[in-house]
Amino acid sequence: AQSVTQLGSHVSVSEGALVLLRCNYSSSVPPYLFWYVQYPNQGLQLLLKYTTGATLVKGINGFEAEFKKSETSFHLTKPSAHMSDAAEYFCAVSESQAGTALIFGKGTTLSVSS
Amino acid sequence: DGGITQSPKYLFRKEGQNVTLSCEQNLNHDAMYWYRQDPGQGLRLIYYSQIVNDFQKGDIAEGYSVSREKKESFPLTVTSAQKNPTAFYLCASSTRTDDFRGYTFGSGTRLTVV
Protein backbone atom coordinates (compact mmCIF):
# COMPACT_ATOMS: atom_id res chain seq x y z
CA ALA A 1 0.00 0.00 0.00
CA GLN A 2 1.13 3.51 -0.70
CA SER A 3 1.79 6.03 2.01
CA VAL A 4 3.28 9.48 2.48
CA THR A 5 5.11 10.87 5.48
CA GLN A 6 5.73 14.57 5.87
CA LEU A 7 8.35 15.24 8.51
CA GLY A 8 7.42 18.19 10.66
CA SER A 9 3.86 19.41 10.97
CA HIS A 10 5.09 22.98 11.33
CA VAL A 11 8.15 24.69 9.86
CA SER A 12 9.15 28.28 10.63
CA VAL A 13 11.62 30.31 8.61
CA SER A 14 12.66 33.93 8.29
CA GLU A 15 11.96 35.90 5.15
CA GLY A 16 14.80 35.29 2.70
CA ALA A 17 15.85 32.00 4.28
CA LEU A 18 15.87 28.59 2.62
CA VAL A 19 12.63 26.64 2.73
CA LEU A 20 12.89 22.84 3.05
CA LEU A 21 9.78 20.73 3.49
CA ARG A 22 10.38 17.01 3.76
CA CYS A 23 8.38 14.20 2.17
CA ASN A 24 9.05 10.47 2.13
CA TYR A 25 6.85 7.99 0.35
CA SER A 26 6.22 4.29 0.19
CA SER A 27 5.11 2.68 -3.04
CA SER A 28 5.45 -0.77 -4.53
CA VAL A 29 5.36 0.58 -8.08
CA PRO A 30 6.98 3.60 -9.73
CA PRO A 31 5.21 6.55 -8.17
CA TYR A 32 3.79 9.80 -9.37
CA LEU A 33 4.59 12.50 -6.80
CA PHE A 34 3.01 15.87 -6.19
CA TRP A 35 3.25 18.93 -3.98
CA TYR A 36 0.18 21.05 -3.36
CA VAL A 37 -0.27 24.32 -1.46
CA GLN A 38 -3.36 25.39 0.45
CA TYR A 39 -4.23 28.86 1.71
CA PRO A 40 -6.81 29.21 4.51
CA ASN A 41 -10.34 28.13 3.58
CA GLN A 42 -9.36 27.39 0.00
CA GLY A 43 -8.81 24.34 -2.14
CA LEU A 44 -5.42 22.91 -3.02
CA GLN A 45 -3.27 24.31 -5.81
CA LEU A 46 -0.70 22.20 -7.63
CA LEU A 47 2.88 23.43 -7.07
CA LEU A 48 4.74 20.79 -9.03
CA LYS A 49 4.68 17.15 -10.02
CA TYR A 50 7.01 14.30 -10.88
CA THR A 51 5.74 11.62 -13.25
CA THR A 52 8.65 10.49 -15.42
CA GLY A 53 11.86 11.96 -16.79
CA ALA A 54 14.01 14.56 -15.04
CA THR A 55 14.19 13.99 -11.31
CA LEU A 56 14.60 17.68 -10.46
CA VAL A 57 11.23 19.29 -10.96
CA LYS A 58 10.57 23.01 -11.03
CA GLY A 59 7.21 24.41 -10.08
CA ILE A 60 5.42 27.66 -9.58
CA ASN A 61 6.45 30.48 -7.23
CA GLY A 62 10.12 29.45 -7.28
CA PHE A 63 9.65 26.04 -5.67
CA GLU A 64 11.39 22.88 -6.79
CA ALA A 65 11.62 19.27 -5.66
CA GLU A 66 13.93 16.37 -6.38
CA PHE A 67 12.81 12.78 -6.72
CA LYS A 68 15.36 10.49 -5.05
CA LYS A 69 14.37 6.89 -5.60
CA SER A 70 17.14 5.48 -3.39
CA GLU A 71 15.93 7.60 -0.48
CA THR A 72 12.21 7.36 -1.37
CA SER A 73 12.08 11.11 -0.91
CA PHE A 74 10.57 14.09 -2.70
CA HIS A 75 11.57 17.12 -0.62
CA LEU A 76 10.31 20.59 -1.52
CA THR A 77 12.70 23.54 -1.51
CA LYS A 78 12.77 27.25 -2.23
CA PRO A 79 16.01 29.25 -1.98
CA SER A 80 14.48 32.38 -0.45
CA ALA A 81 11.23 32.48 1.49
CA HIS A 82 8.69 35.21 0.98
CA MET A 83 5.90 36.23 3.35
CA SER A 84 3.36 35.10 0.77
CA ASP A 85 4.70 31.52 1.01
CA ALA A 86 3.05 31.09 4.41
CA ALA A 87 0.50 28.32 3.85
CA GLU A 88 -0.04 24.61 4.32
CA TYR A 89 1.79 22.24 2.00
CA PHE A 90 0.81 18.71 1.11
CA CYS A 91 2.85 15.98 -0.50
CA ALA A 92 0.92 13.29 -2.39
CA VAL A 93 1.67 10.03 -4.16
CA SER A 94 -0.18 7.86 -6.62
CA GLU A 95 0.62 4.74 -8.53
CA SER A 96 1.74 5.45 -12.07
CA GLN A 97 -1.64 4.67 -13.49
CA ALA A 98 -4.16 7.07 -14.87
CA GLY A 99 -7.04 7.90 -12.58
CA THR A 100 -5.58 6.34 -9.45
CA ALA A 101 -6.58 8.16 -6.30
CA LEU A 102 -3.90 10.30 -4.67
CA ILE A 103 -2.72 9.53 -1.15
CA PHE A 104 -1.87 12.68 0.79
CA GLY A 105 0.46 13.35 3.67
CA LYS A 106 -0.82 15.12 6.76
CA GLY A 107 0.56 18.45 5.68
CA THR A 108 3.20 20.90 6.83
CA THR A 109 2.31 24.43 7.85
CA LEU A 110 4.95 26.92 6.77
CA SER A 111 5.27 30.15 8.75
CA VAL A 112 7.43 33.01 7.46
CA SER A 113 8.56 35.79 9.79
CA SER A 114 9.96 39.17 8.82
CA ASP B 1 -12.43 29.23 -18.00
CA GLY B 2 -12.70 25.59 -17.04
CA GLY B 3 -12.81 24.68 -13.42
CA ILE B 4 -14.48 22.84 -10.59
CA THR B 5 -17.19 24.43 -8.47
CA GLN B 6 -18.27 23.40 -5.01
CA SER B 7 -21.38 24.74 -3.32
CA PRO B 8 -22.30 25.93 -0.85
CA LYS B 9 -19.11 27.36 0.67
CA TYR B 10 -20.54 27.06 4.18
CA LEU B 11 -23.20 24.59 5.32
CA PHE B 12 -24.83 24.02 8.67
CA ARG B 13 -26.49 20.75 9.58
CA LYS B 14 -28.71 19.86 12.44
CA GLU B 15 -28.33 16.56 14.22
CA GLY B 16 -30.06 13.76 12.32
CA GLN B 17 -30.25 15.59 9.00
CA ASN B 18 -28.89 14.50 5.67
CA VAL B 19 -27.17 17.19 3.64
CA THR B 20 -25.84 17.18 0.08
CA LEU B 21 -22.69 18.92 -1.09
CA SER B 22 -22.51 19.86 -4.74
CA CYS B 23 -19.50 19.42 -7.02
CA GLU B 24 -19.57 20.36 -10.70
CA GLN B 25 -16.70 20.45 -13.21
CA ASN B 26 -16.45 21.65 -16.81
CA LEU B 27 -12.98 20.30 -17.47
CA ASN B 28 -14.22 17.18 -19.28
CA HIS B 29 -12.46 15.08 -16.65
CA ASP B 30 -13.51 11.47 -16.30
CA ALA B 31 -12.48 10.96 -12.68
CA MET B 32 -13.83 12.78 -9.62
CA TYR B 33 -13.01 12.49 -5.93
CA TRP B 34 -14.23 13.57 -2.52
CA TYR B 35 -11.85 14.19 0.37
CA ARG B 36 -12.44 15.18 3.96
CA GLN B 37 -9.95 17.48 5.69
CA ASP B 38 -9.58 17.76 9.45
CA PRO B 39 -6.87 19.77 11.23
CA GLY B 40 -3.63 17.80 11.48
CA GLN B 41 -4.98 14.81 9.55
CA GLY B 42 -4.40 15.81 5.98
CA LEU B 43 -6.89 14.74 3.32
CA ARG B 44 -8.71 11.47 3.63
CA LEU B 45 -10.47 9.88 0.66
CA ILE B 46 -14.22 9.36 1.02
CA TYR B 47 -15.33 8.22 -2.46
CA TYR B 48 -14.08 8.39 -5.99
CA SER B 49 -15.50 7.77 -9.44
CA GLN B 50 -13.55 7.02 -12.58
CA ILE B 51 -16.51 6.86 -14.93
CA VAL B 52 -20.19 7.76 -15.04
CA ASN B 53 -22.47 5.42 -13.08
CA ASP B 54 -19.55 3.85 -11.23
CA PHE B 55 -17.82 4.79 -7.96
CA GLN B 56 -15.65 3.22 -5.28
CA LYS B 57 -15.36 3.64 -1.54
CA GLY B 58 -12.31 5.34 -0.14
CA ASP B 59 -10.82 5.00 3.32
CA ILE B 60 -13.65 6.69 5.25
CA ALA B 61 -16.86 6.03 3.26
CA GLU B 62 -19.07 5.12 6.25
CA GLY B 63 -21.87 7.64 6.71
CA TYR B 64 -21.50 9.10 3.22
CA SER B 65 -23.08 8.38 -0.15
CA VAL B 66 -22.45 9.59 -3.70
CA SER B 67 -23.89 9.37 -7.19
CA ARG B 68 -22.38 9.89 -10.63
CA GLU B 69 -25.23 10.23 -13.10
CA LYS B 70 -23.45 12.82 -15.23
CA LYS B 71 -19.81 13.25 -16.12
CA GLU B 72 -19.84 16.83 -14.84
CA SER B 73 -21.41 16.19 -11.44
CA PHE B 74 -20.42 14.19 -8.34
CA PRO B 75 -22.60 15.16 -5.34
CA LEU B 76 -21.79 13.95 -1.84
CA THR B 77 -24.49 13.26 0.74
CA VAL B 78 -23.54 13.33 4.38
CA THR B 79 -26.07 11.12 6.12
CA SER B 80 -27.22 11.07 9.71
CA ALA B 81 -25.11 7.95 10.15
CA GLN B 82 -21.97 10.07 9.98
CA LYS B 83 -21.41 10.80 13.66
CA ASN B 84 -18.80 13.51 13.34
CA PRO B 85 -19.43 15.35 10.05
CA THR B 86 -17.96 18.72 10.98
CA ALA B 87 -15.05 19.16 8.57
CA PHE B 88 -13.83 20.81 5.39
CA TYR B 89 -14.83 18.84 2.29
CA LEU B 90 -12.87 19.03 -0.94
CA CYS B 91 -13.88 17.79 -4.36
CA ALA B 92 -11.34 17.16 -7.10
CA SER B 93 -11.23 15.89 -10.66
CA SER B 94 -8.61 14.46 -13.00
CA THR B 95 -8.07 12.88 -16.37
CA ARG B 96 -7.81 9.14 -16.79
CA THR B 97 -5.39 9.26 -19.69
CA ASP B 98 -1.73 8.37 -19.56
CA ASP B 99 -1.01 12.08 -19.32
CA PHE B 100 -2.05 12.17 -15.67
CA ARG B 101 -1.35 15.65 -14.35
CA GLY B 102 -2.74 15.44 -10.86
CA TYR B 103 -5.94 16.85 -9.53
CA THR B 104 -7.84 20.08 -9.98
CA PHE B 105 -9.52 21.01 -6.70
CA GLY B 106 -12.63 22.95 -5.88
CA SER B 107 -12.56 25.65 -3.22
CA GLY B 108 -14.22 23.45 -0.62
CA THR B 109 -17.33 23.31 1.56
CA ARG B 110 -17.09 23.80 5.30
CA LEU B 111 -19.76 21.74 7.05
CA THR B 112 -20.67 22.44 10.66
CA VAL B 113 -23.10 20.52 12.84
CA VAL B 114 -25.23 22.78 15.01
Side-chain angles (χ1 to χ4, degrees), chain A residues 32 34 36 38 41-46 49 51 88 90 94-95 97-107, chain B residues 9-10 33 35 37 40-43 45 48 50 88 90 94-98 100-103 105-107 110:
Chain A
Y32 286 176
F34 303 83
Y36 285 85
Q38 184 184 34
N41 292 312
Q42 294 186 26
L44 277 67
Q45 179 184 5
L46 181 65
K49 66 183 187 292
T51 52
E88 190 160 21
F90 292 93
S94 77
E95 297 180 354
Q97 297 174 24
T100 305
L102 289 180
I103 305 300
F104 287 84
K106 293 187 176 183
Chain B
K9 190 171 178 66
Y10 298 95
Y33 313 83
Y35 285 86
Q37 185 178 15
Q41 297 196 44
L43 278 70
L45 182 64
Y48 65 104
Q50 297 190 19
F88 191 53
L90 287 162
S94 73
T95 64
R96 293 188 65 244
T97 66
D98 290 339
F100 179 58
R101 302 183 181 184
Y103 292 176
F105 279 88
S107 57
R110 186 166 297 280

Side-chain angles (χ1 to χ4, degrees), chain B residues 79-98:
Chain B
T79 75
S80 56
Q82 171 51 239
K83 297 307 178 187
N84 185 23
T86 294
F88 191 53
Y89 291 86
L90 287 162
C91 180
S93 67
S94 73
T95 64
R96 293 188 65 244
T97 66
D98 290 339

Side-chain angles (χ1 to χ4, degrees), chain B residues 3-107:
Chain B
I4 184 165
T5 301
Q6 290 187 242
S7 62
K9 190 171 178 66
Y10 298 95
L11 185 58
F12 298 90
R13 192 194 92 167
K14 294 181 179 179
E15 296 280 354
Q17 268 186 340
N18 292 355
V19 292
T20 298
L21 284 59
S22 171
C23 179
E24 303 275 338
Q25 55 98 359
N26 61 2
L27 299 165
N28 200 33
H29 285 171
D30 288 303
M32 297 187 74
Y33 313 83
W34 275 105
Y35 285 86
R36 169 177 172 148
Q37 185 178 15
D38 297 281
Q41 297 196 44
L43 278 70
R44 293 182 290 168
L45 182 64
I46 304 173
Y47 271 98
Y48 65 104
S49 167
Q50 297 190 19
I51 196 169
V52 174
N53 292 322
D54 187 45
F55 47 83
Q56 289 77 42
K57 292 182 179 180
D59 300 322
I60 57 165
E62 185 175 352
Y64 299 97
S65 66
V66 293
S67 63
R68 187 83 187 281
E69 297 177 359
K70 298 186 301 181
K71 186 176 183 178
E72 302 78 19
S73 178
F74 192 41
L76 174 74
T77 296
V78 184
T79 75
S80 56
Q82 171 51 239
K83 297 307 178 187
N84 185 23
T86 294
F88 191 53
Y89 291 86
L90 287 162
C91 180
S93 67
S94 73
T95 64
R96 293 188 65 244
T97 66
D98 290 339
D99 185 25
F100 179 58
R101 302 183 181 184
Y103 292 176
T104 300
F105 279 88
S107 57

Side-chain angles (χ1 to χ4, degrees), chain A residues 1 6 17 19 22 33 36 41 49 56 70 94 96 99 102 105 109:
Chain A
Q6 291 184 240
V19 175
R22 299 177 186 274
L33 295 160
Y36 285 85
N41 292 312
K49 66 183 187 292
L56 180 62
S70 61
S94 77
S96 51
L102 289 180
T109 299

